[in-house]
Amino acid sequence: MSGTSSERISTLWQTRYRTPAPETLPDNAVLDLLMSHHSVRAYLPDALPEGTLQAGIAAASSAATSSNLQVWSVVAVENPETRARLAELCGGQKHIEVAPLFLAWIVDLARLERIAERAGMGHEALDYEEVFLMATLDSGIAAQNAVTAFESLGLGTVYIGGLRNHPEEVASLLSLPPRSVAVVGLCVGKPDPAAQNGHKPRLGQDVVLHRERYSTENEPEGIAAYDRIADDYQKEQGLTSRAWSETVAKRVDSFKGLSGRHVMRTVLHRLGFPLR
């Protein structure tokens, strides 16, 4: 590994963790791309180059899928009026309006239902929580493949969990059939170079990496260290000083931190998911 490559991966490690990098780390273009990721919420309104959407979805289709069931779909939204309505449903997130492409990733059990019915067979398995869980996981894996593809083309992305704030309204807007639901959104566009944020540091591997057995031995010290690192980042970005651990504790203290999504199971029932 060349000196330049070594310096590059070490810099990316330090950017992500704010700690010294191990002496030896592998490096290649894919690792560089993944470790350089950051959410982009400021976009130029420029249309994407021809073929960009198709290439991103091809990358998504190349992701692993349980038993090759392929239980996700994606709705590409470019119409400004539709994006404006989605921005409203997602809590007023203006970047949904500005980014030229918005992708709604769909848990799509409706397709398997139609296939079974055309074959003259039942579809009892689709009623169970396991299938919904598997489809949600597959959708996320596919979406992340697309993110990597878009970022390799110099584009920016940001996931939109607010798409679950009003799942029934989103389903109606996107004409989703029963047994399908939008689980996450994704803005895609050319980053505005005049308004870019930094690379947010993450919890250290002493907290998230467990070897052979799950252990919390190093967790208190690791989280305390991360609180300091995350607060430094807040200050660098001109944001309010805060301790990450206190912020997430407040988030989970009450169902109110779910932004109305605490009724998701009931809503999923109405959207055609029995979840037995």
Side-chain angles (χ1 to χ4, degrees):
M1 184 167 62
S2 69
T4 300
S5 180
S6 176
E7 292 172 4
R8 169 73 176 164
I9 198 68
S10 294
T11 298
L12 288 170
W13 175 286
Q14 292 176 57
T15 298
R16 187 58 65 199
Y17 293 121
R18 302 286 180 103
T19 59
E23 290 186 6
T24 303
L25 283 173
D27 188 22
N28 57 40
V30 176
L31 287 171
D32 284 6
L33 177 65
L34 292 172
M35 291 179 66
S36 298
H37 167 79
H38 64 285
S39 294
V40 173
R41 294 180 175 83
Y43 298 91
L44 300 177
D46 307 4
L48 302 183
E50 287 292 329
T52 299
L53 171 61
Q54 292 89 335
I57 302 308
S61 295
S62 301
T65 171
S66 181
S67 301
N68 200 30
L69 292 176
Q70 303 181 68
V71 284
W72 59 268
S73 287
V74 61
V75 178
V77 181
E78 297 174 294
N79 180 278
E81 292 182 1
T82 308
R83 284 190 282 113
R85 176 59 178 151
L86 285 167
E88 182 182 357
L89 291 171
C90 293
Q93 299 190 55
K94 296 292 290 185
H95 36 280
I96 298 175
E97 294 186 58
V98 178
L101 176 64
F102 182 82
L103 299 178
W105 296 89
I106 312 299
V107 162
D108 188 356
L109 302 186
R111 182 165 55 240
L112 290 185
E113 181 181 60
R114 294 191 299 270
I115 291 171
E117 289 179 347
R118 284 196 294 268
M121 302 180 70
H123 39 71
E124 179 185 20
L126 300 181
D127 292 351
Y128 287 83
E129 288 180 342
E130 158 58 18
V131 178
F132 182 81
L133 178 63
M134 175 266 293
T136 303
L137 180 60
D138 271 18
S139 299
I141 293 171
Q144 186 57 35
N145 255 33
V147 164
T148 301
F150 291 132
E151 293 184 353
S152 77
L153 298 172
L155 300 173
T157 65
V158 64
Y159 282 112
I160 305 294
L163 199 63
R164 299 189 302 278
N165 288 359
H166 301 282
E168 289 175 292
E169 289 88 339
V170 170
S172 176
L173 181 66
L174 302 181
S175 299
L176 302 184
R179 287 195 195 271
S180 62
V181 62
V183 288
V184 72
L186 185 71
C187 293
V188 184
K190 190 172 183 179
D192 182 350
Q196 290 307 304
N197 59 313
H199 294 64
K200 188 174 293 184
R202 298 290 198 237
L203 284 167
Q205 293 191 11
D206 56 341
V207 176
V208 302
L209 174 61
H210 305 266
R211 296 184 181 272
E212 309 301 335
R213 298 285 189 278
Y214 190 101
S215 172
T216 61
E217 181 179 357
N218 298 318
E219 186 175 273
E221 296 82 2
I223 290 179
Y226 180 68
D227 275 343
R228 294 189 291 272
I229 290 169
D231 188 43
D232 287 343
Y233 173 82
Q234 289 285 116
K235 295 171 183 175
E236 290 167 10
Q237 298 297 312
L239 302 173
T240 303
S241 176
R242 66 183 186 186
W244 174 84
S245 60
E246 292 180 9
T247 301
V248 297
K250 290 177 181 176
R251 179 71 179 265
V252 302
D253 179 57
S254 166
F255 72 90
K256 295 178 182 178
L258 297 175
S259 303
R261 303 174 209 170
H262 61 289
V263 297
M264 186 62 72
R265 186 180 182 90
T266 300
V267 172
L268 287 171
H269 286 170
R270 292 199 295 265
L271 290 174
F273 298 93
L275 300 179
R276 294 179 184 171

